[in-house]
Amino acid sequence: MHDQPRGVLPTPGAARPSKGPGVSIPSRRRTVPLAVTAVTALTATALTAATPAQAQDEAPEQIVNGTFDDGHAPWWGTPNITLDSSSQQLCADIPGGTVNPWDVIIGQDDVPLVAGETYEYKFFATATPNKVIRALIQLPVDPWTQFMAANPEVSVSGNNYTYTFTAPTDLPNAQVAFQVGGSTDPWRLCLDDVSLRGGAEPEEYVPDTGPRVRVNQVGYLPKGPKNATLVTDATDPLPWKLYDSTGRVVVNGKTKPRGLDESSGQNVHSITFSRFVRPGTGYTLVTDGETSHPFEIGTSFYTQLRADALKFYYTQRSGIEIRDELRPGYGRPAGHVGVAPNQGDTAVPCQPGVCDYTLDVSGGWYDAGDHGKYVVNGGISVYQLMNEYERALRVHQGKPWLQRDGVLDLPESGNKLPDILDEVRWQQEFLLKMQVPAGQPLAGMAHHKIHDAAWTGLPLLPHLDSQLRELHPPSTAATLNLAATAAQAARVFKPYDAAFADRNLDAARTAWAAAKANPQMYADPADAIGGGPYDDVDVTDEFYWAAAELYLTTGEREFRDFVLASPHHTGDIFKEGAFGWQWTAPLGRMALATTPSDLPGWWQVRASVIEAADRYLATLKAHPYGIPYAPAGNIYDWGSNSIIVNNAIVIATAYDLTGKEKYRDGVLQTMDYIFGRNALNISYVTGYGTVSSQNQHSRWYARQLNPELPNPPRGTLAGGPNSSIQDPVAQRLLTGCAPQFCYVDDIESWATNELTINWNAPLSWIAAFIADQGRG
């Protein structure tokens, strides 16, 4: 019986290069051509304690003086350290108070590499106290492309570290570098037996997928569907048993063979135990000699997830101190408020040639694992949170009291405003600030984004970012995002703050007029230094969405007529991935279907959403892992987990419109995949399930790189499998992966393991939907 992918994909797309001293560039664009990165397979093969490694004899040594028996030339260090080899190890006292890993480096230049050769790289290291370091073999000049990169945690007692990698090109002058900066406190590092030899055997990365019985590791609702997947070579049905926490068999049955699942390359069987409804914890499924991870049958975990997924946004806030008593372990000073070394977001200039004014664009949410803030991604995120709030008020199953003031432990808690709207307002205020002021060229348009002038490295807390911040040119897409969210905010906040509601409606009208006057101002796809471009050359969908929201808020003829005339109003707009920041027409369609209005032809709008949900349900039923996602060619997209959850939102909306149980059940089955019923047997939500994503790409939730920092907070959704594996780590480990295996829980894998505000928004929405059901 095998648990490895049998199918492989074509060679993945090219990767974005590194910038600066080994700084990998995160990107949130799916279709931008990316430059090829010279990185191939790397595997950490051993971590053994205490005695220095012995050099190999079978291949020539590429490192000069790696044993330090007679001094340390030609090794060098940055000017802030003094190298000492008097103990026949290379030691240095590493200063505290540095920010970036490359602020302190020990290195050797002119190391030759031969294309196609597989190398074994070894070294012995001690650190007092324990520290995570960066071990690199890279280009010695910009763009500092990494041929090998590792982040070992070095201990006081010392360990041997061994890695293999294959050089993709000839390079006579590669650089070996140990980047050891970024620590608050001083510490001591010693190195010995640094060795690089060719002739090594390439080593295959094999993920630990645990038991072959894949279940929702968090839990199932008592009266909901309960499905699992068995990975097996067996072709006939197999017996299974469900055990309770006491070890008693409570139900049994036989598996259903499903054959080869193309998305994983695995031969699988399905298991269904929906007839068992008794709540409890510690249940396990046993079949084919394997025991699943334990799980619960209950309801409370979705109520908890609803809160946790929303609490994520407080720690993503810019421009405010994150109070440790509100989020224990996540407290930090305010980021980008103009306190050194920050240059701040309170008076941000434009990129050269864009404008001659500055804007206060403080506040808002950091978009992802970087310090950028983007209107288009921020727009869809804040929209989904407002939509979650509106839905709870509108549907008969809604539980708006779960959104009451005080449930999220925010600084604003106690102000008589539902906490979800406090969080929404923090972001919406930022979006309003991004609007070009009256009297300026392009007044009323919205700047597309604001971020650092150059990429920064990991880890880097927001308040330590010293980069110049810049406003980027206005775009039609950003302006229409502002129009849509401001129109929505006008009706959402009207019962609580009429002045803020009026301010939003004024901004929405102004943005709409500006977008109509400038309908083809597109973000530049090449504007990708220091932040993602978020480019989009079709904004007809944003026009439709904004018009829909303005109509629903105002009821005015201008917006109604625009909606009815748009081809998106009657066209088939629900794609393999229902919607996202680059495709927002379905947001308008679903808003029109669910928000009361006098729109002509409302029944046709409603029917189109239900029809789309039926297609996603059919995909789910046909999929051996039970997910509403089957992209063309089985090419999983960037952020596939968010696509899957957004598809589930369409299914959930059909349930709200019809009350039919099949749609509710489809939503629940979708979450089984997110919580562990997948090829990798991992829950993609941090802190949920026996094995969950812990190392999403982030500059401040960076425990993998610095043990003094936290992992992402509980309730954070990882991006998930991405067939294009654009980042160096994913390319090293995952080349040839079957779609569901194109994921690695590594902080440097920004293509598969990013966290973003627009991925947690659908997670929060769908958790609220399930929590609102009020029954098993």
Side-chain angles (χ1 to χ4, degrees):
M1 294 151 201
H2 303 285
D3 193 17
Q4 299 307 316
R6 298 183 179 86
V8 297
L9 290 177
T11 301
R16 188 177 297 276
S18 300
K19 290 291 183 184
V23 184
S24 55
I25 293 182
S27 167
R28 283 165 296 283
R29 279 292 292 116
R30 299 170 294 164
T31 56
V32 175
L34 303 174
V36 176
T37 305
V39 193
T40 51
L42 162 71
T43 307
T45 58
L47 185 63
T48 55
T51 56
Q54 300 299 313
Q56 290 179 299
D57 298 325
E58 59 271 19
E61 178 62 67
Q62 306 301 307
I63 299 293
V64 177
N65 190 18
T67 59
F68 312 108
D69 291 334
D70 186 18
H72 53 262
W75 291 88
W76 52 266
T78 47
N80 51 357
I81 58 173
T82 299
L83 301 183
D84 176 13
S85 54
S86 59
S87 64
Q88 296 188 334
Q89 292 185 334
L90 182 59
C91 298
D93 292 316
I94 311 302
T98 58
V99 174
N100 300 298
W102 57 87
D103 289 342
V104 185
I105 304 176
I106 297 172
Q108 182 174 132
D109 295 330
D110 300 321
V111 177
L113 298 177
V114 176
E117 184 71 27
T118 298
Y119 292 89
E120 182 178 75
Y121 178 50
K122 302 194 295 185
F123 58 89
F124 175 83
T126 66
T128 308
N130 292 8
K131 289 289 177 182
V132 174
I133 67 173
R134 299 193 74 193
L136 307 172
I137 298 176
Q138 61 183 18
L139 284 177
V141 294
D142 188 52
W144 311 97
T145 305
Q146 300 166 7
F147 292 82
M148 194 290 300
N151 301 294
E153 182 171 1
V154 181
S155 68
V156 174
S157 60
N159 292 287
N160 293 315
Y161 301 89
T162 302
Y163 305 93
T164 61
F165 71 100
T166 302
T169 188
D170 290 323
L171 186 68
N173 61 338
Q175 180 184 89
V176 170
F178 294 93
Q179 295 183 354
V180 293
S183 175
T184 303
D185 299 317
W187 59 286
R188 185 169 178 81
L189 171 72
C190 290
L191 300 169
D192 202 356
D193 290 296
V194 185
S195 172
L196 179 67
R197 295 178 182 270
E201 288 293 324
E203 298 199 33
E204 181 183 3
Y205 169 71
V206 180
D208 181 1
T209 56
R212 290 182 290 104
V213 188
R214 311 292 204 251
V215 297
N216 179 329
Q217 298 175 25
V218 178
Y220 303 86
L221 297 193
K223 295 181 182 178
K226 301 174 189 68
N227 295 280
T229 297
L230 170 67
V231 180
T232 179
D233 285 338
T235 57
D236 295 325
L238 296 171
W240 59 263
K241 295 179 180 179
L242 177 66
Y243 288 82
D244 66 15
S245 59
T246 69
R248 183 170 64 93
V249 176
V250 292
V251 67
N252 60 72
K254 288 204 169 184
T255 65
K256 177 182 178 180
R258 299 293 296 269
L260 180 67
D261 167 41
E262 293 183 358
S263 72
S264 65
Q266 298 168 322
N267 191 76
V268 299
H269 292 203
S270 293
I271 299 170
T272 299
F273 55 105
S274 303
R275 68 181 185 273
F276 185 76
V277 299
R278 187 186 309 150
T281 60
Y283 288 106
T284 54
L285 267 175
V286 177
T287 181
D288 201 22
E290 296 279 317
T291 301
S292 75
H293 291 306
F295 55 87
E296 180 179 350
I297 296 177
T299 60
S300 62
F301 39 85
Y302 278 109
T303 301
Q304 183 63 50
L305 177 61
R306 176 186 207 161
D308 287 341
L310 284 174
K311 286 182 176 182
F312 163 85
Y313 288 93
Y314 176 50
T315 55
Q316 286 292 117
R317 285 190 189 185
S318 175
I320 187 174
E321 175 192 8
I322 306 305
R323 291 162 48 186
D324 199 69
E325 72 270 21
L326 298 179
R327 297 292 184 274
Y330 292 89
R332 58 172 172 81
H336 298 98
V337 291
V339 177
N342 276 171
Q343 299 193 40
D345 288 356
T346 56
V348 179
C350 286
Q351 288 180 303
V354 172
C355 74
D356 59 4
Y357 53 81
T358 63
L359 291 181
D360 177 356
V361 290
S362 57
W365 301 320
Y366 295 119
D367 177 69
D370 62 338
H371 302 137
K373 298 185 290 189
Y374 308 82
V375 172
V376 295
N377 214 43
I380 190 173
S381 303
V382 78
Y383 161 81
Q384 287 194 280
L385 265 58
M386 285 190 281
N387 188 258
E388 175 185 333
Y389 170 78
E390 286 191 289
R391 181 195 166 275
L393 298 177
R394 184 179 62 244
V395 302
H396 73 275
Q397 310 98 337
K399 296 179 179 177
W401 58 89
L402 293 178
Q403 300 173 333
R404 67 187 181 277
D405 182 21
V407 296
L408 298 182
D409 297 323
L410 299 176
E412 300 85 1
S413 294
N415 65 356
K416 303 187 186 305
L417 186 68
D419 277 0
I420 188 173
L421 295 188
D422 283 320
E423 200 58 76
V424 161
R425 183 164 185 162
W426 189 263
Q427 174 69 1
Q428 189 62 28
E429 291 272 15
F430 159 72
L431 296 180
L432 294 171
K433 293 177 180 180
M434 292 290 280
Q435 195 163 31
V436 177
Q440 297 291 343
L442 301 176
M445 296 289 284
H447 287 277
H448 195 69
K449 57 181 182 170
I450 176 261
H451 57 64
D452 293 336
W455 284 107
T456 58
L458 283 73
L460 182 65
L461 287 162
H463 70 286
L464 298 177
D465 176 19
S466 61
Q467 287 282 335
L468 172 69
R469 308 280 277 178
E470 292 179 326
L471 289 167
H472 292 245
S475 72
T476 308
T479 305
L480 291 167
N481 268 262
L482 175 59
T485 61
Q488 184 186 27
R491 65 176 183 267
V492 167
F493 281 90
K494 188 175 181 179
Y496 300 101
D497 188 336
F500 184 61
D502 290 344
R503 181 180 158 211
N504 273 278
L505 187 54
D506 288 344
R509 292 185 187 277
T510 301
W512 174 258
K516 288 182 69 178
N518 302 277
Q520 294 181 323
M521 291 190 66
Y522 303 134
D524 181 359
D527 186 8
I529 303 301
Y534 281 106
D535 55 306
D536 187 357
V537 296
D538 177 6
V539 296
T540 58
D541 52 312
E542 281 88 356
F543 268 109
Y544 176 69
W545 174 37
E549 292 296 338
L550 279 159
Y551 169 70
L552 291 170
T553 296
T554 69
E556 293 175 6
R557 178 184 297 271
E558 175 190 358
F559 307 118
R560 182 200 68 183
D561 290 350
F562 192 98
V563 164
L564 295 176
S566 171
H568 296 311
H569 190 58
T570 54
D572 183 5
I573 59 173
F574 292 94
K575 304 179 179 181
E576 292 169 344
F579 55 85
W581 65 264
Q582 202 177 35
W583 181 243
T584 59
L587 303 182
R589 183 81 67 85
M590 290 192 295
L592 292 167
T594 57
T595 306
S597 73
D598 295 323
L599 184 73
W602 176 80
W603 277 99
Q604 287 80 9
V605 176
R606 174 184 181 274
S608 71
V609 175
I610 297 168
E611 179 185 351
D614 285 335
R615 292 204 304 268
Y616 293 133
L617 268 188
T619 299
L620 180 151
K621 290 178 180 178
H623 200 293
Y625 273 100
I627 55 176
Y629 182 56
N634 261 310
I635 305 299
Y636 275 43
D637 209 342
W638 193 308
S640 63
N641 284 340
S642 72
I643 296 170
I644 290 167
V645 178
N646 279 331
N647 288 357
I649 287 176
V650 179
I651 300 172
T653 302
Y655 175 77
D656 287 342
L657 292 171
T658 68
K660 292 183 178 179
E661 294 292 324
K662 66 177 182 177
Y663 299 117
R664 172 181 174 268
D665 289 352
V667 172
L668 295 171
Q669 289 184 68
T670 301
M671 291 307 294
D672 293 345
Y673 171 87
I674 297 296
F675 281 149
R677 186 193 173 196
N678 53 58
L680 285 168
N681 204 8
I682 185 173
S683 167
Y684 289 113
V685 181
T686 302
Y688 281 77
T690 303
V691 179
S692 68
S693 299
Q694 298 287 327
N695 298 302
Q696 291 94 316
H697 180 81
S698 172
R699 279 160 176 74
W700 58 102
Y701 313 129
R703 187 173 182 82
Q704 184 179 346
L705 300 179
N706 181 351
E708 298 174 2
L709 296 175
N711 293 115
R714 175 179 166 89
T716 301
L717 179 66
N722 174 5
S723 296
S724 295
I725 56 174
Q726 291 96 332
D727 67 77
V729 168
Q731 289 180 348
R732 289 193 296 262
L733 301 180
L734 305 177
T735 296
C737 54
Q740 281 200 52
F741 281 91
C742 296
Y743 170 83
V744 59
D745 184 23
D746 190 291
I747 194 170
E748 300 280 8
S749 183
W750 37 263
T752 77
N753 201 35
E754 196 172 26
L755 57 83
T756 74
I757 56 175
N758 67 308
W759 296 347
N760 252 60
L763 179 68
S764 172
W765 195 105
I766 213 72
F769 169 84
I770 299 173
D772 279 351
Q773 300 311 305
R775 48 207 165 93

